[in-house]
Amino acid sequence: MKVKAAVTHGKGEDFQIEEVELADPTANEVLVKVVASGVCHTDAVARDQEVPVPLPAVLGHEGSGIIEKVGSNVHTVEKGDHVVLSFSSCGHCENCLSGHPAYCLYFNDLNFGGKMNDNTNRIKQDGESVSSFFGQSSFGTFAIANERNVVKVDKDVDLALLGPLGCGIQTGSGTVLNKLQPNFGETIAVFGCGAVGLSAVMAAKIVGCSQIIAIDVHESRLELAKELGATHVLNGKEVDTVEEIRKLTGGGTNYAVETTSVPALARQSVQALKPLGISAVVGVTQETEFNVFEDIMALGKGLVGAIEGNAIPQLFIPKLIAYYKNGQFPFDKLINFYELEDINQAFADSKQGTTVKPIVKM
Ligand code: FXY
Ligand code: ZN
């Protein structure tokens, strides 16, 4: 079938709204009428070829929509179901089998390699193959997704809002709820108040952290952090954050989440911990300096990584929606909607910091 999509043709180039040809879903795939898709920093990273996704590609990996057609071997969803699309995983490796699909041994190939799980393409333009992304390519009016990427959701919530639960919002909230798991009354510092950081703030409020210290350099985001549950906010441009956090908490927090990808902040997130504290890094940082003895070993601290909030999306996303429905997880406050035609503006506003989480509507 012919569908409209935002196509990425060249490194760093604007998305072009064009027609592409979508093949039928194979046995383990579904065809989804995409209602909307969140915009995540990882889409920009792929567009700019910091990760070499073969181009041309249809990016987008925070889709939400309605099942239009299912392959012959699909059993968990049917036509008409509302779904959120999440990341790809193989289902067969030891990490998938042990309930850790975000650490699938084939994660990079399946999400960034440009092909579906059977290593073939579903999208074509002028007879040439076009890459898929995260097994969904949600920047289009229809998408083919692996059954494993699909999360069935309640029909009584606005489906257009839900796509970011498949990546950015799951990443921030899951890092707190699934990975760090603070106890009621413990303390946490969240570095960065983008969609990931603010989702971590909301999650920390859900578990009852007594001090939730949010750090950013944009005042508007710090205001939003307060609204969403931060008990204290720090502008990293104005104060020494490590010193301030130690002062506010009497020696440091139990936990930290680093979402900014600013290399120096990975170390600061550990320095801001009290003895035995743990910092989770979710911002992609390649290299930075630590004094391993002083920063980590001497005080029994830990630095851990987390991908996609350690979530099993089919179990975790419905829980987030339940929290949203009872008012405990107001992630809609992060969102601004755009038309698909305005997708380049959505990316620009996200980079600028004027929109926390853009969603493009199809
Ligand atoms: O956006 C989604 N999350 C990613 C999986 C985080 C890791 C990005 C790695 C880029 C190579
Ligand atoms: Zn993402």
Side-chain angles (χ1 to χ4, degrees):
M1 67 190 290
K2 291 194 186 318
V3 309
K4 188 172 70 173
V7 184
T8 300
H9 286 284
K11 173 176 172 169
E13 288 176 16
D14 274 357
F15 296 91
Q16 307 290 337
I17 308 300
E18 295 171 346
E19 201 173 75
V20 296
E21 183 79 30
L22 209 55
D24 262 354
T26 61
N28 295 309
E29 295 171 352
V30 297
L31 173 66
V32 178
K33 181 175 176 17
V34 181
V35 167
S37 176
V39 164
C40 170
H41 180 64
T42 301
D43 295 306
V45 163
R47 177 198 61 192
D48 299 342
Q49 294 284 283
E50 291 165 39
V51 173
V53 176
L55 299 182
V58 176
L59 303 175
H61 64 287
E62 293 186 344
S64 63
I66 300 169
I67 299 281
E68 180 75 18
K69 198 176 192 183
V70 300
S72 58
N73 197 32
V74 168
H75 302 292
T76 57
V77 286
E78 58 186 27
K79 183 173 162 63
D81 282 347
H82 287 197
V83 294
V84 167
L85 304 178
S86 196
F87 59 89
S88 287
S89 57
C90 77
H92 311 294
C93 72
E94 62 181 283
N95 298 336
C96 282
L97 290 173
S98 65
H100 299 98
Y103 309 100
C104 172
L105 293 177
Y106 307 98
F107 188 95
N108 283 347
D109 282 349
L110 297 178
N111 290 286
F112 297 104
K115 307 220 166 167
M116 297 299 288
N117 278 23
D118 67 357
N119 209 29
T120 63
N121 288 92
R122 244 20 111 243
I123 313 173
K124 282 201 150 91
Q125 191 179 45
D126 305 327
E128 302 290 323
S129 291
V130 174
S131 286
S132 293
F133 192 55
F134 275 68
Q136 54 170 290
S137 292
S138 55
F139 290 158
T141 49
F142 286 85
I144 299 284
N146 302 302
E147 182 181 18
R148 284 185 61 78
N149 296 47
V150 164
V151 181
K152 186 175 165 177
V153 296
D154 295 345
K155 288 189 174 171
D156 60 353
V157 273
D158 179 5
L159 188 53
L161 278 174
L162 301 183
L165 298 178
C167 185
I169 291 177
Q170 161 169 268
T171 295
S173 57
T175 297
V176 175
L177 294 167
N178 300 323
K179 181 80 185 179
L180 296 176
Q181 300 189 331
N183 286 315
F184 177 81
E186 289 189 312
T187 58
I188 190 163
V190 178
F191 288 77
C193 296
V196 174
L198 291 170
S199 300
V201 166
M202 289 186 279
K205 185 175 179 190
I206 287 173
V207 299
C209 284
S210 60
Q211 288 181 298
I212 303 168
I213 304 171
I215 300 108
D216 203 288
V217 292
H218 298 289
E219 282 301 324
S220 60
R221 292 192 173 203
L222 294 173
E223 278 309 308
L224 188 52
K226 271 195 234 166
E227 203 184 312
L228 296 174
T231 59
H232 304 81
V233 295
L234 300 175
N235 189 325
K237 269 196 194 148
E238 290 168 5
V239 297
D240 178 330
T241 44
V242 172
E243 196 181 305
E244 273 315 299
I245 292 167
R246 286 182 181 158
K247 234 189 271 172
L248 285 168
T249 53
T253 54
N254 297 104
Y255 296 99
V257 182
E258 184 341 78
T259 72
T260 69
S261 308
V262 176
L265 297 192
R267 185 179 192 184
Q268 287 183 27
S269 73
V270 174
Q271 291 174 326
L273 295 169
K274 66 159 69 173
L276 301 170
I278 299 183
S279 173
V281 179
V282 302
V284 179
T285 296
Q286 302 291 357
E287 287 185 26
T288 188
E289 209 164 87
F290 278 84
N291 181 315
V292 175
F293 175 70
E294 273 180 28
D295 293 333
I296 297 180
M297 178 182 153
L299 296 168
K301 294 181 184 180
L303 178 67
V304 293
I307 292 281
E308 299 286 353
N310 259 27
I312 297 174
Q314 289 79 2
L315 298 178
F316 188 56
I317 290 173
K319 290 183 195 171
L320 292 179
I321 292 173
Y323 278 127
Y324 169 67
K325 285 206 269 190
N326 73 18
Q328 285 183 276
F329 192 66
F331 72 92
D332 55 319
K333 293 195 173 146
L334 312 183
I335 286 164
N336 279 341
F337 286 109
Y338 297 77
E339 296 301 319
L340 178 63
E341 283 68 18
D342 299 324
I343 188 168
N344 293 303
Q345 191 62 47
F347 276 80
D349 291 354
S350 166
K351 184 171 182 198
Q352 186 71 29
T354 47
T355 293
V356 177
K357 174 55 78 176
I359 292 182
V360 290
K361 280 188 168 182
M362 307 306 152

